[in-house]
Amino acid sequence: MELTVLGQSQTTAPEAGGCASSGCGSNDDQLNHLPEHIRAKVHNHPCYSEEAHHHYARMHVAVAPACNIQCHYCNRKYDCSNESRPGVVSELLTPDQAVKKVMTVAANIPQMTVLGIAGPGDPLANPERTFDTFRQLTEKAPDIKLCVSTNGLALPELVDELCQHNIDHVTMTINCVDPDIGAQIYPWIFWKNRRVYGRKGAEILIKQQQKGLQMLVDRGILVKVNSVMIPGVNDKHLEEVSKAVKAKGAFLHNVMPLIAEAEHGTFYGVMGQRGPTHDELQELQDACSGDMNMMRHCRQCRADAVGMLGEDRGDEFTMDKIEAVDVDYAAAMVKRAEVHAAIEATLAAKQQKKNETFISLSSLSIPKKESRPVLMAIATSGGGIINQHFGHAREFLIYEANAHDVRFISHRKTDLYCSGDDTCGDGESVLQKTINALKGCEVVLCSKIGYEPWGMLEEAGIMPNGEHAMEAIEDAVAAVYKEMGEKGLLDKKPETKQRATA
């Protein structure tokens, strides 16, 4: 019998892509403890299930331009193609255009299971456009899950309308349950035809959010809560938020890092508010996970994202390219059902094999005194295997190994260091930024790596490793951790040697 260490043997799912298909999140399926009717709702929802996001795609349509609150971390842009963050779109759509786009994408990307409206403003501040889109899709594309993301201000008044459509998933952004903290995040809200500023506005927003959350849960709608971690503002407060939303019945908590680059033009960015470090984010996520299922695979998508998480195929489906396309959606639904069935068969076989071959690192005779955790960065283009050149990686998956298991921690985005197939050009500054992004990691696993980055990684105290190319990620991470223990490299953590970013 083949043995697999804390993971799955390589399995090819139909057109899997995005991030690695082996596991973004803890390897213990966080859905296993949930009732069957809830698991049935989320098993193919890439934003709600860690396993699903390796195999199923999602898309957002930008039909909601207006917003009813102002956030210090937000700057909406309606014709931007070169930024990847919430609130940004390349083109605004009418409901009719959005429906056309959704049906075209669904026919061409049959793994697409979920349509979300997430902006670029707040969907519930644009109720006519949002619900017109949902009404049409409920009728014309009944096999697609419909989702909405909202700040919650207008939610209580619109819960009944939401329930009339094929909507059983709602994402709410809740950054605080204390109005004094809220006043530092939201300068104003638009409430009952006027702007309400400061603490008073934050107090109204929090009350509406908590009321709306309870109403959704009471109606059987699954709620994921997003929170933006803002160091020095709400970072010490988000554990309280996690407990509060869990008590109300929220299903999943997604703690995201503040995107604070000045070039995005947000208030926080211009004022120099920093985002969290990787270590700070992980520490907070771990702290909150004691009270709540924690989402760790979020990519903080654009409001017009298309495709698997970790990729964006929106440029393939702009309105000028699809307006003249005729879609036979009845035929498309047949094809989609076949693809979905193939994915489910692959997942079932994968789970059965995992059940038959599962062993833990604790059985590999690693001395207990050498059980400190080690972070490893993985270069992968998908499929759950180590299959990407170091210089071709636009992001690295970060795994943590210890004497008991291997778990996914996060992903870290980088600039593309190498654009060639075999060699890399002069990319020293970009390479150094990549190495800085891997701070805290002790190993990089990739399929291939050049001499220059090899030397710079070693100089930074990171061991490059190309010996596990095309192996399953968890197997390779466990094997490298075991090798480190055998070589005495787990006795103490090496000092960090990364240079400061230029």
Side-chain angles (χ1 to χ4, degrees):
M1 180 183 296
E2 177 189 356
L3 289 181
T4 299
V5 181
L6 271 171
Q8 304 87 354
S9 297
Q10 180 184 350
T11 307
T12 302
E15 302 182 47
C19 104
S21 297
S22 57
C24 280
S26 61
N27 288 282
D28 293 327
D29 186 357
Q30 65 174 6
L31 305 183
N32 281 343
H33 69 286
L34 296 172
E36 177 60 32
H37 73 281
I38 293 181
R39 281 187 284 158
K41 287 183 178 182
V42 302
H43 80 281
N44 63 351
H45 193 311
C47 301
Y48 279 61
S49 166
E50 292 170 350
E51 183 67 35
H53 94 277
H54 308 303
H55 305 279
Y56 292 102
R58 69 6 181 165
M59 72 174 293
H60 299 161
V61 290
V63 298
C67 197
N68 50 6
I69 70 174
Q70 179 60 53
C71 308
H72 278 325
Y73 55 76
C74 181
N75 180 25
R76 297 187 302 280
K77 295 183 180 180
Y78 306 134
D79 58 355
C80 180
S81 61
N82 61 357
E83 293 183 24
S84 182
R85 61 180 177 86
V88 171
V89 300
S90 295
E91 55 185 357
L92 288 171
L93 305 178
T94 66
D96 290 344
Q97 290 174 322
V99 172
K100 171 75 171 180
K101 182 173 181 176
V102 171
M103 297 176 71
T104 303
V105 169
N108 286 275
I109 306 179
Q111 313 96 298
M112 194 275 282
T113 55
V114 176
L115 177 281
I117 299 180
D122 189 88
L124 301 187
N126 303 259
E128 295 83 5
R129 296 168 65 93
T130 295
F131 290 122
D132 187 8
T133 305
F134 284 150
R135 274 191 292 270
Q136 292 191 53
L137 287 172
T138 299
E139 176 185 351
K140 298 177 181 179
D143 63 331
I144 296 176
K145 293 180 184 291
L146 303 179
C147 296
V148 66
S149 296
T150 178
N151 58 48
L153 181 61
L155 178 60
E157 290 71 34
L158 295 170
V159 166
D160 290 338
E161 178 78 5
L162 280 172
C163 293
Q164 293 178 19
H165 304 286
N166 185 29
I167 298 172
D168 50 16
H169 306 77
V170 172
T171 295
M172 294 180 64
T173 298
I174 299 178
N175 294 314
C176 60
V177 290
D178 181 339
D180 289 323
I181 293 175
Q184 301 175 58
I185 302 172
Y186 310 107
W188 55 262
I189 67 170
F190 193 74
W191 177 248
K192 295 185 176 179
N193 297 314
R194 64 187 181 91
R195 287 190 181 186
V196 182
Y197 295 87
R199 189 184 191 282
K200 185 176 181 180
E203 190 172 17
I204 294 170
L205 175 61
I206 292 167
K207 182 178 179 180
Q208 289 289 101
Q209 289 173 334
Q210 296 300 309
K211 180 180 179 181
L213 172 56
Q214 188 66 65
M215 293 174 71
L216 290 172
V217 172
D218 289 345
R219 286 161 174 78
I221 295 177
L222 294 182
V223 180
K224 173 170 70 76
V225 171
N226 287 349
S227 298
V228 180
M229 180 183 180
I230 311 164
V233 178
N234 70 345
D235 51 333
K236 307 300 182 184
H237 175 62
L238 284 179
E239 286 187 61
E240 182 180 347
V241 172
S242 193
K243 292 176 182 177
V245 298
K246 180 183 180 182
K248 291 284 186 181
F251 157 74
L252 190 64
H253 196 190
N254 174 27
V255 178
M256 307 177 293
L258 173 70
I259 299 175
E261 286 76 9
E263 59 265 27
H264 297 324
T266 66
F267 176 84
Y268 277 149
V270 172
M271 297 304 293
Q273 168 67 51
R274 72 173 181 89
T277 66
H278 299 301
D279 289 344
E280 288 171 339
L281 180 63
Q282 181 186 335
E283 182 179 353
L284 179 58
Q285 288 175 334
D286 287 346
C288 291
S289 66
D291 293 299
M292 192 74 169
N293 289 325
M294 186 60 50
M295 178 180 180
R296 298 179 189 262
H297 60 276
C298 178
R299 296 304 197 272
Q300 293 178 276
C301 303
R302 291 167 56 98
D304 57 1
V306 175
M308 307 289 285
L309 268 67
E311 70 174 4
D312 189 0
R313 297 176 58 182
D315 287 346
E316 300 174 34
F317 299 98
T318 54
M319 289 309 301
D320 62 313
K321 295 176 181 176
I322 68 171
E323 275 185 312
V325 176
D326 290 325
V327 176
D328 182 348
Y329 200 73
M333 282 201 297
V334 173
K335 177 183 178 183
R336 285 166 52 76
E338 293 173 350
V339 170
H340 295 181
I343 293 174
E344 292 304 311
T346 297
L347 290 174
K350 183 177 177 182
Q351 185 61 46
Q352 181 177 355
K353 188 170 186 179
K354 178 179 178 181
N355 292 340
E356 292 173 351
T357 64
F358 179 85
I359 62 174
S360 71
L361 266 171
S362 59
S363 68
L364 295 181
S365 301
I366 297 174
K368 295 298 181 182
K369 69 177 183 177
E370 299 173 350
S371 61
R372 69 171 180 84
V374 171
L375 294 183
M376 302 188 196
I378 314 299
T380 176
S381 58
I385 57 178
I386 299 166
N387 59 358
Q388 193 169 41
H389 189 298
F390 175 84
H392 295 175
R394 289 187 178 274
E395 72 171 9
F396 290 86
L397 304 187
I398 309 300
Y399 280 75
E400 180 188 84
N402 58 48
H404 303 287
D405 64 10
V406 173
R407 65 171 182 146
F408 174 82
I409 295 295
S410 65
H411 65 97
R412 298 186 188 178
K413 295 182 179 180
T414 64
D415 293 323
L416 190 64
Y417 163 63
C418 172
S419 58
D421 292 333
D422 299 313
T423 60
C424 294
D426 297 328
E428 182 176 359
S429 61
V430 175
L431 173 58
Q432 187 57 55
K433 289 180 180 178
T434 297
I435 293 174
N436 287 337
L438 300 181
K439 181 179 180 181
C441 297
E442 298 182 42
V443 180
V444 170
L445 295 171
C446 54
S447 64
K448 190 176 180 181
I449 185 170
Y451 289 111
E452 181 183 9
W454 184 290
M456 292 182 68
L457 284 165
E458 284 190 329
E459 182 183 343
I462 303 173
M463 294 186 295
N465 188 315
E467 298 176 3
H468 296 273
M470 304 309 296
E471 293 183 14
I473 292 174
E474 287 93 343
D475 290 2
V477 170
V480 171
Y481 187 79
K482 184 174 184 290
E483 292 168 7
M484 292 176 69
E486 292 170 346
K487 294 178 180 179
L489 299 177
L490 300 178
D491 294 342
K492 65 177 182 177
K493 189 171 182 178
E495 295 181 4
T496 302
K497 301 178 182 179
Q498 275 87 350
R499 305 171 185 170
T501 304

